Amino acid sequence: MKLFRYLMLFFIIYSCFNNENKILPTERPLTESVYSSVTIQPDSLYQAYAIVAGILDNNLVEEGDVVSKNQTLIQIINSTPKLNAQNAKFSLNLAKENYNGNAAVLNSILEEITAAKLKYQNDSINYFRQKNLWEQKIGSKVEFDTRKLNYELASNNLKLLQSKYHRTKNELYTAVQQAQNNYQTALINTKDFMVKSKINGKVYALYKESGEIVTTMEPLASIGSATHFVIDMLVDEVDIVSISKNQDVIINLDAYNGKVFKGKVSKIYPKKDERNQTFKVEAVFENPPNILYPGLSGEANIIIKKKDTVLTIPKAYLIEDDKVKTDDGLTPITTGLQNMEYIEVLSGITKDTFIYKPE
């Protein structure tokens, strides 16, 4: 009698234990998604650098200020460019004076040309007079040759001086143009000491205070959109091939505990980050929160597939990825969509097939 009672008790306990681990597949909507961490960043975010080195004179804006395109953000001090601009201006003025003939360079050549013309005219008269006499057999051959040589030398000298004048004038004109370019470059360098905003946006960070040394290698400010934010996501390389633009994204932000936001994939960066084997993906909010700050973190699920009604089983009941335990033993199944909890069953069992949780 006691043995019978023990057997009955064992059977009841075994049956209860068995029933607790035995379930039927269920039909439900199923969504397959790719998980990603999330960081919120302003759209068009960039870091502003100085083009030249110096000392920071003054931050003309504060963190949180809304700025417009080309608005001056930071003023830098450096006297060298101003001195260079002054020197370039002096060189330009000198070059203009030389070119316009007010200096001795061109005037001295003009004086030489005037004297050469007088000599050429005098030698020309003497030559042609002696030539006429020689044709009449008057005078000596030596005298004729001397007058001819003087005439030719005077002619050549005048041509050389005239050529020298035009060449010098061209060189002086070129010098004016070069001085003008140098002066404009020097002026640009003085303007480079003002760091300006490239966009209409907001100042999110200022990295230096007045009196600190500024180099071209260190950022001075962080500027981004004041109203538009993007969702930066890091997707594992095994999932990136499933991601495409305009896919739906479900976002949970730590700052908005329990609230769900929707977005869409807007950009996929093609270069993999070798440090963490991920790809950067951007999304935009459909209805963003009222308040957002750069650096807010959270998590997201990128929806890659979705079905309204499918036969599913809990993933905990799956054995070796493609089998389940039934009353007939291990039964192969074909699977489809899956999420963190459930997996779709395409074939192998029905909604009336009991399955058992593996031990």
Side-chain angles (χ1 to χ4, degrees), residues 25 311 313 317-335 343 345-350 352-356 358:
L311 188 66
I313 62 171
Y317 283 72
L318 195 63
I319 301 172
E320 297 178 357
D321 295 332
D322 61 352
K323 298 180 183 67
V324 291
K325 185 178 180 180
T326 67
D327 292 330
D328 298 326
L330 285 180
T331 302
I333 62 172
T334 304
T335 59
I343 188 167
V345 178
L346 298 175
S347 64
I349 59 174
T350 68
D352 299 318
T353 304
F354 282 101
I355 61 174
Y356 297 86

Side-chain angles (χ1 to χ4, degrees), residues 57-152:
D57 181 34
N58 192 18
N59 286 318
L60 304 178
V61 294
E62 296 181 355
E63 292 172 329
D65 284 356
V66 176
V67 296
S68 57
K69 186 176 181 180
N70 293 324
Q71 179 178 338
T72 302
L73 309 176
I74 298 166
Q75 180 68 52
I76 301 169
I77 297 174
N78 192 322
S79 58
T80 302
K82 291 183 179 179
L83 293 176
N84 290 340
Q86 290 177 359
N87 291 334
K89 180 65 173 177
F90 295 150
S91 298
L92 176 61
N93 291 337
L94 178 60
K96 286 182 176 179
E97 289 179 4
N98 290 336
Y99 175 70
N100 292 329
N102 296 328
V105 179
L106 289 178
N107 281 341
S108 63
I109 300 176
L110 287 175
E111 290 174 358
E112 291 180 24
I113 290 175
T114 301
K117 284 182 177 179
L118 293 175
K119 188 175 186 308
Y120 170 74
Q121 292 173 356
N122 183 62
D123 289 340
S124 175
I125 293 171
N126 291 332
Y127 165 66
F128 284 105
R129 182 184 298 146
Q130 190 63 40
K131 182 182 179 183
N132 290 331
L133 293 174
W134 178 250
E135 288 175 352
Q136 299 175 24
K137 306 300 181 179
I138 301 172
S140 65
K141 182 70 165 62
V142 173
E143 189 175 4
F144 170 73
D145 291 339
T146 300
R147 297 291 175 86
K148 181 180 180 182
L149 179 60
N150 291 337
Y151 166 73
E152 291 175 349

Side-chain angles (χ1 to χ4, degrees), residues 18-38:
N18 231 16
N19 287 335
E20 286 179 358
N21 291 275
K22 181 176 70 172
I23 64 169
L24 288 172
T26 56
E27 291 183 340
R28 70 180 73 241
L30 190 64
T31 299
E32 185 173 352
S33 62
V34 170
Y35 173 83
S36 169
S37 59
V38 161

Side-chain angles (χ1 to χ4, degrees), residues 260-278:
V260 176
F261 301 96
K262 293 183 179 181
K264 286 189 178 294
V265 174
S266 59
K267 187 173 182 179
I268 301 171
Y269 289 81
K271 188 177 185 334
K272 182 175 76 172
D273 189 335
E274 298 294 343
R275 296 171 297 179
N276 51 25
Q277 305 298 303
T278 60

Side-chain angles (χ1 to χ4, degrees), residues 289-324:
N290 292 330
I291 300 174
L292 286 172
Y293 290 98
L296 290 181
S297 61
E299 56 186 19
N301 286 283
I302 305 171
I303 309 302
I304 57 176
K305 292 178 184 177
K306 189 174 183 180
K307 292 184 179 179
D308 293 333
T309 305
V310 295
L311 188 66
T312 66
I313 62 171
K315 295 180 75 173
Y317 283 72
L318 195 63
I319 301 172
E320 297 178 357
D321 295 332
D322 61 352
K323 298 180 183 67
V324 291

